[in-house]
């Protein structure tokens, strides 16, 4: 469904991704793990066209994404839940969701989509009139995911959804991701919490200073001593 | 007392014009974090569009008000197009460059428009035709002209419409999203280039309205008329908290009132100075402006 082949991206003179190749199968959950500054967010931003790779090719359902503006990529059916959530703090929860459904011009369908998000995250319904900036971190993460769901993405990219959340909240978030995946969306999950990410995914890639250094089935990688030492703290 | 009320109305009237121009500064700042120094010159262009259109259109319809409305509408449209051109050819190419680059472009563009204006329109002031014959309205002890009333009503109507657009429409919501976080807005599928262009168009149309409303009250127009008004409207935007649309309106009103009161009760020599005094005070004590940063929504 999503293929990166030999993708390299840099910020000015800083090389953030070097020759990255990966593949996400339709219907699966794949994960990309790595330490701070490994280039995980850059990989997701490159897919969304928020930064431009200077080499390599990104294909989504057979269509090349390079050079396509971000809003068109979003319209093609990919949603990114960005690092740090980036909810629109000065807008209400409801307005945030409406913006998530920006491309849905049919008001009735929009209402139905919002109801669906409220069903996945009942907490959001209670807070719908509240400014998004005043939500707790976990609620903001729910909102960011809910907002992404509004577009009915076929591919959902998640950038460190567990960041800064209490374990209970992390599990709630990941259960929701499971549900979203069962309902048909393919998921690419970026995480520093490797333990969790490897448990919740089928395939995994390990990124280190911009290069993929390991890849394989998540279950196998979880057992790999190098991964255990470097990322699982065992 | 009556003279105070009279001054109050004059102040609000002037202030609402500053507010119209200040809105353009603040909206563009909201989406691009750019002070569009050429904005005052768009206000001047609006007055000149009005001037030439009046010559063509005056007396074409059975009603003076309809003439005036037509002139106003077409001038706003003309300036909206100027705003679009400015965005497309001056600012978009340097959007990824440093802020300093953008600022220099803005100043250069402003000088370009002012000098081109002198070349094309002539440097001498022109007399703005009287679109609506003056008549007087007595309100208790107050003496108003119908023109003052029209200016005030038009300015208020435009601000209400803008407010409805920004807070009620889908595109207005997109505009608020862009001003809050451009990348996140793109992720929602919002064509941010379009929204930015629209912001320039809207701001420029409001500036044109300001230019014409001023010319209805004070009919002398010249190619440099945008310099002082532009600066004052900029001060109004900073005073209210740049990026904040309610701030722009509030700042405009305060500035207009202050100016009229200083001229009325102090000395009219200082009427222009008050704006800059306010700017200095606000920069010293509340650099984010009255409603700036987090207090109310930015656009
Ligand atoms: N806008 C930018 N300008 C310059 N360098 C950047 C920029 N964004 C990221 N980088 C650099 O690119 C590299 C990869 O950054 P990236 O944000 O992709 O890492 P990450 O794996 O997401 O890290 P984290 O886990 O901390 O979020 C880092 O060295 C970072 O300093
Ligand atoms: Mg990151």
């Amino acid at each position: 469904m999503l293929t990166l082949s030999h993708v390299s991206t840099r910020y000015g003179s800083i090389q953030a991704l070097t020759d990255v190749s990966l593949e996400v199968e339709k219907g699966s959950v794949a994960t990309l793990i790595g330490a701070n500054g490994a280039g995980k967010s850059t990989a997701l931003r490159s897919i969304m066209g928020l930064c431009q790779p200077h080499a390599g090719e990104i294909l989504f359902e057979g269509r090349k994404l390079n050079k396509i503006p971000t809003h068109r990529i979003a319209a093609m059916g990919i949603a990114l839940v960005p690092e740090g959530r980036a909810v629109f703090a000065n807008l209400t929860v409801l307005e945030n969701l409406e913006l998530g459904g920006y491309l849905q011009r049919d008001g009735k369908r929009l209402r139905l989509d919002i109801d669906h998000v409220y069903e996945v995250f009942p907490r959001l319904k209670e807070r719908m009139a509240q400014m998004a900036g005043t939500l707790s971190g976990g609620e903001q993460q729910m909102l960011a995911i809910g907002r992404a769901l509004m577009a009915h993405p076929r591919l959902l990219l998640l950038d460190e959804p567990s960041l800064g959340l209490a374990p209970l909240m992390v599990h709630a978030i990941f259960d929701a991701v499971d549900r979203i995946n069962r309902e048909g969306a393919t998921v690419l999950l970026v995480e520093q919490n490797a333990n969790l990410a490897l448990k919740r995914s089928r395939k995994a890639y390990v990124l280190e200073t911009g290069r993929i250094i390991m890849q394989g089935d998540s279950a196998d990688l979880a057992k790999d001593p190098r991964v255990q030492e470097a990322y699982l703290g065992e | 007392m009556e003279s105070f009320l009279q001054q109050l109305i004059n102040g609000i009237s002037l202030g609402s014009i500053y507010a119209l121009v200040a809105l353009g500064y603040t909206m563009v700042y909201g989406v691009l974090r750019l002070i569009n120094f050429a904005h005052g010159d768009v206000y001047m262009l609006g007055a000149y569009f009005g001037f030439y259109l009046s010559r063509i259109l005056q007396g074409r319809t059975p009603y003076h008000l309809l003439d005036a409305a037509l002139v106003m509408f077409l001038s706003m449209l003309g300036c909206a197009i100027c705003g679009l051109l400015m965005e497309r050819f001056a600012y978009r190419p340097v959007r990824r460059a440093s802020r300093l680059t953008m600022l220099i472009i803005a100043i250069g563009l402003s000088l370009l428009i002012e000098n081109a204006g002198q070349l094309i329109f002539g440097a001498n002031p022109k007399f703005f035709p009287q679109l609506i014959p003056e008549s007087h309205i007595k309100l208790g002890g107050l003496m108003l002209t119908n023109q003052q009333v029209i200016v005030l009503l038009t300015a208020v109507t435009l601000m209400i419409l803008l407010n409805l657009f920004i807070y009620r429409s889908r595109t207005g919501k997109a505009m608020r999203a862009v001003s809050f976080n451009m990348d996140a807005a793109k992720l929602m599928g919002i064509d941010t280039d379009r929204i930015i262009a629209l912001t320039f168009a809207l701001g420029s149309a409001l500036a044109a309205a300001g230019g014409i409303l001023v010319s209805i009250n004070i009919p002398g127009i010249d190619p440099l008329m945008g310099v002082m008004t532009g600066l004052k409207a900029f001060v109004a935007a900073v005073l209210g908290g740049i990026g904040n649309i309610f701030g722009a309106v509030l700042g405009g009103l305060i500035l207009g009132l202050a100016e009229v009161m200083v001229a009325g009760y102090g000395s009219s020599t200082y009427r222009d100075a008050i704006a800059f005094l306010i700017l200095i005070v606000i920069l010293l004590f509340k650099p984010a402006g009255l409603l700036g940063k987090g207090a109310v929504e930015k656009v």
Side-chain angles (χ1 to χ4, degrees):
Chain A
M1 169 166 240
L2 177 79
T3 315
L4 274 67
S5 38
H6 308 291
V7 170
S8 301
T9 303
R10 58 182 167 223
Y11 299 102
S13 61
I14 300 169
Q15 187 81 23
L17 289 183
T18 312
D19 200 28
V20 167
S21 298
L22 62 81
E23 198 168 345
V24 183
E25 256 173 67
K26 193 171 167 62
S28 70
V29 178
T31 188
L32 185 60
I33 55 178
N36 284 119
K40 305 180 298 294
S41 299
T42 305
L44 297 188
R45 292 172 57 82
S46 300
I47 295 168
M48 289 310 296
L50 288 171
C51 47
Q52 281 302 329
H54 62 273
E57 203 177 51
I58 302 173
L59 291 175
F60 173 63
E61 295 177 334
R63 291 158 78 186
K64 196 170 161 177
L65 297 186
N66 305 52
K67 303 243 159 66
I68 295 185
T70 303
H71 68 276
R72 291 249 182 76
I73 294 177
M76 287 164 73
I78 310 183
L80 167 64
V81 178
E83 185 169 19
R85 296 124 197 178
V87 296
F88 299 111
N90 54 344
L91 273 68
T92 64
V93 167
L94 180 61
E95 284 177 317
N96 268 271
L97 293 179
E98 285 169 349
L99 275 166
Y102 181 74
L103 297 171
Q104 175 63 269
R105 284 170 169 279
D106 179 343
K108 232 185 243 155
R109 304 271 292 268
L110 195 69
R111 295 295 130 203
L112 287 177
D113 291 343
I114 291 174
D115 285 343
H116 177 246
V117 171
Y118 286 159
E119 200 200 312
V120 179
F121 299 113
R123 189 85 69 94
L124 293 181
K125 185 169 187 176
E126 295 160 24
R127 323 250 147 173
M128 64 193 231
Q130 197 172 322
M131 288 292 155
T134 64
L135 296 176
S136 77
E139 289 161 353
Q140 288 194 15
Q141 190 64 60
M142 290 176 178
L143 179 57
I145 296 175
R147 187 180 64 176
L149 280 189
M150 289 295 296
H152 295 284
R154 292 194 297 286
L155 176 62
L156 181 64
L157 311 174
L158 294 159
D159 197 344
E160 301 202 36
S162 74
L163 196 72
L165 303 186
L168 215 59
M169 187 57 94
V170 172
H171 278 100
I173 296 279
F174 274 80
D175 288 345
V177 171
D178 272 346
R179 171 176 175 173
I180 292 160
N181 175 243
R182 279 198 312 276
E183 286 176 359
T186 305
V187 175
L188 175 56
L189 172 68
V190 155
E191 264 299 339
Q192 272 193 64
N193 186 341
N195 208 346
L196 193 63
L198 291 174
K199 259 185 215 144
R200 300 280 187 151
S201 61
R202 191 190 306 164
K203 260 196 108 177
Y205 295 85
V206 182
L207 200 58
E208 199 176 285
T209 54
R211 291 174 193 273
I212 301 278
I213 54 158
M214 263 184 273
Q215 64 186 76
D217 287 344
S218 302
D220 296 341
L221 279 189
K223 285 185 222 127
D224 190 297
R226 287 170 298 169
V227 175
Q228 285 182 343
E229 193 189 337
Y231 301 101
L232 300 178
E234 285 169 27
Chain B
M1 188 59 204
E2 267 143 27
S3 114
F4 176 76
L5 275 180
Q6 191 85 51
Q7 299 287 16
L8 197 66
I9 288 173
N10 291 342
I12 291 175
S13 187
L14 181 64
S16 62
I17 285 167
Y18 289 150
L20 281 178
V21 184
L23 281 166
Y25 277 109
T26 228
M27 287 183 352
V28 164
Y29 183 85
V31 294
L32 284 187
R33 303 292 179 270
L34 160 79
I35 310 287
N36 176 15
F37 275 111
H39 188 60
D41 303 304
V42 175
Y43 156 92
M44 174 275 289
L45 288 178
Y48 274 92
F49 273 124
F51 172 80
Y52 290 109
L53 284 165
S54 304
R55 285 180 157 188
I56 302 170
L57 293 173
Q58 199 162 29
R60 286 295 163 97
T61 74
Y63 305 103
H64 298 299
L65 264 179
L66 195 57
D67 284 351
L70 214 57
V71 167
M72 174 81 122
F73 175 75
L74 291 175
S75 305
M76 287 173 76
L77 194 68
C79 277
I81 292 170
C82 292
L84 288 177
L85 292 174
M86 233 158 67
E87 191 276 327
R88 182 67 191 79
F89 295 107
Y91 294 127
R92 195 179 297 185
V94 293
R95 206 183 291 157
R96 281 166 192 281
S98 73
R99 288 228 207 137
L100 189 60
T101 311
M102 279 229 205
L103 202 61
I104 291 168
I105 297 265
I107 292 169
L109 188 62
S110 168
L111 290 172
L112 179 75
I113 298 175
E114 283 158 21
N115 287 292
Q118 291 181 325
L119 200 68
I120 297 166
F121 309 134
N124 292 325
K126 285 198 163 30
F127 190 78
F128 197 87
Q130 200 176 36
L131 284 167
I132 304 158
E134 192 174 36
S135 64
H136 292 269
I137 301 169
K138 251 190 131 117
L139 252 183
L142 280 183
M143 193 62 137
L144 295 175
T145 68
N146 59 338
Q147 295 172 342
Q148 276 179 313
V149 175
I150 288 168
V151 167
L152 197 59
L153 285 182
T154 312
V156 170
T157 308
L158 286 173
M159 286 187 258
I160 292 174
L161 286 178
L162 178 77
N163 193 60
L164 286 177
F165 172 74
I166 290 178
Y167 289 94
R168 293 290 155 80
S169 75
R170 173 173 175 270
T171 310
K173 211 182 297 153
M175 205 181 255
R176 283 184 287 154
V178 170
S179 94
F180 189 75
N181 184 335
M182 176 109 62
D183 278 351
K186 287 179 183 168
L187 292 173
M188 304 297 108
I190 295 168
D191 184 347
T192 50
D193 281 349
R194 245 193 68 223
I195 297 289
I196 290 168
L198 180 73
T199 306
F200 271 86
L202 268 181
S204 302
L206 292 177
I212 289 179
L213 293 179
V214 159
S215 309
I216 288 177
N217 270 345
I218 313 160
I221 65 172
D222 70 89
L224 297 182
M225 69 187 276
V227 177
M228 193 48 101
T229 307
L231 270 173
K232 287 180 185 169
F234 170 64
V235 171
V238 172
L239 171 61
I242 192 144
N244 184 306
I245 60 161
F246 293 120
V249 174
L250 182 68
L253 288 177
I254 292 177
L255 199 62
L257 281 168
E259 200 178 310
V260 167
M261 293 301 167
V262 165
Y265 295 102
S267 152
S268 58
T269 341
Y270 296 122
R271 73 178 291 160
D272 288 340
I274 186 71
F276 303 102
L277 186 66
I278 289 179
L279 180 65
I280 292 167
V281 170
I282 201 83
L283 287 180
L284 280 177
F285 295 105
K286 208 162 183 321
L290 295 174
L291 304 180
K293 286 270 148 29
V296 188
E297 207 158 326
K298 295 180 309 174
V299 162

